[in-house]
Amino acid sequence: MTPDLSAWTDFLAAVAGATAALLGLFFVSLSLNLEKVLAGNGLTERAEQALIQLLAALMVALLLLMPGLSLFVAGSGVLVIAVVTGIIGTVLAARSLRRAKGYGRVYTANLVLFELAILPWVIGGLLLMAGNADGAYWLAAGICLSIAKAAFDSWVFLVEINR
């Protein structure tokens, strides 16, 4: 029997629904405080980073829900999404760190949390490419960490930005 990801269908469907809803709510939280976000201090880049992190989780879930994908193809797709997300997110975090007047520690922590959330995606993608369906557990960890970080960022843009 060839290993596959069929046991993950319910989880992936839940991730797709949850991240799509969170993306919408995140746009609402940004629009409520748009002037403050655009005012500087690296908040624009941090918002973009959170958005691509949620979008990447949605894309991975939708990719893995496609029927008939081999583990190699699924892992390759995940790896591409993870690497592109990682590069873009790291560039955005570095840019926001340069603009973070007086908030260097906060933005450094943001960068570290972002990298920690993306790393399991890379490991999971590589394991899937190697034919090991257990890479899905690494993906689940990365997705959960990414959603948690993006939810925290949503809180920052909805509540903390007004303090």
Side-chain angles (χ1 to χ4, degrees):
M1 183 172 131
T2 305
D4 64 17
L5 298 173
S6 60
W8 288 88
T9 303
D10 290 343
F11 174 79
L12 293 168
V15 166
T19 54
L22 285 171
L23 274 166
L25 291 172
F26 193 75
F27 275 109
V28 170
S29 72
L30 288 177
S31 67
L32 291 174
N33 294 301
L34 192 57
E35 284 184 36
K36 291 179 182 177
V37 172
L38 295 175
N41 283 339
L43 289 174
T44 305
E45 291 85 358
R46 185 170 177 179
E48 289 175 287
Q49 185 191 53
L51 287 170
I52 65 156
Q53 204 163 16
L54 285 173
L55 182 60
L58 176 61
M59 290 172 49
V60 165
L62 293 175
L63 169 73
L64 297 181
L65 283 169
M66 290 180 190
L69 288 182
S70 69
L71 290 180
F72 181 81
V73 171
S76 298
V78 167
L79 194 57
V80 167
I81 292 168
V83 168
V84 169
T85 301
I87 290 169
I88 293 170
T90 301
V91 168
L92 289 169
R95 213 182 288 162
S96 68
L97 187 56
R98 281 195 303 269
R99 295 181 185 177
K101 302 166 188 135
Y103 295 98
R105 279 192 231 159
V106 171
Y107 285 95
T108 300
N110 179 60
L111 174 60
V112 169
L113 290 173
F114 176 80
E115 300 298 337
L116 287 175
I118 295 298
L119 181 61
W121 296 33
V122 173
I123 295 169
L126 290 171
L127 286 172
L128 290 177
M129 287 177 68
N132 186 346
D134 288 342
Y137 289 101
W138 284 92
L139 292 178
I143 287 169
C144 290
L145 288 171
S146 293
I147 289 172
K149 184 191 173 304
F152 176 74
D153 288 340
S154 294
W155 174 261
V156 168
F157 288 106
L158 190 60
V159 175
E160 293 299 323
I161 199 168
N162 291 309
R163 286 184 190 232

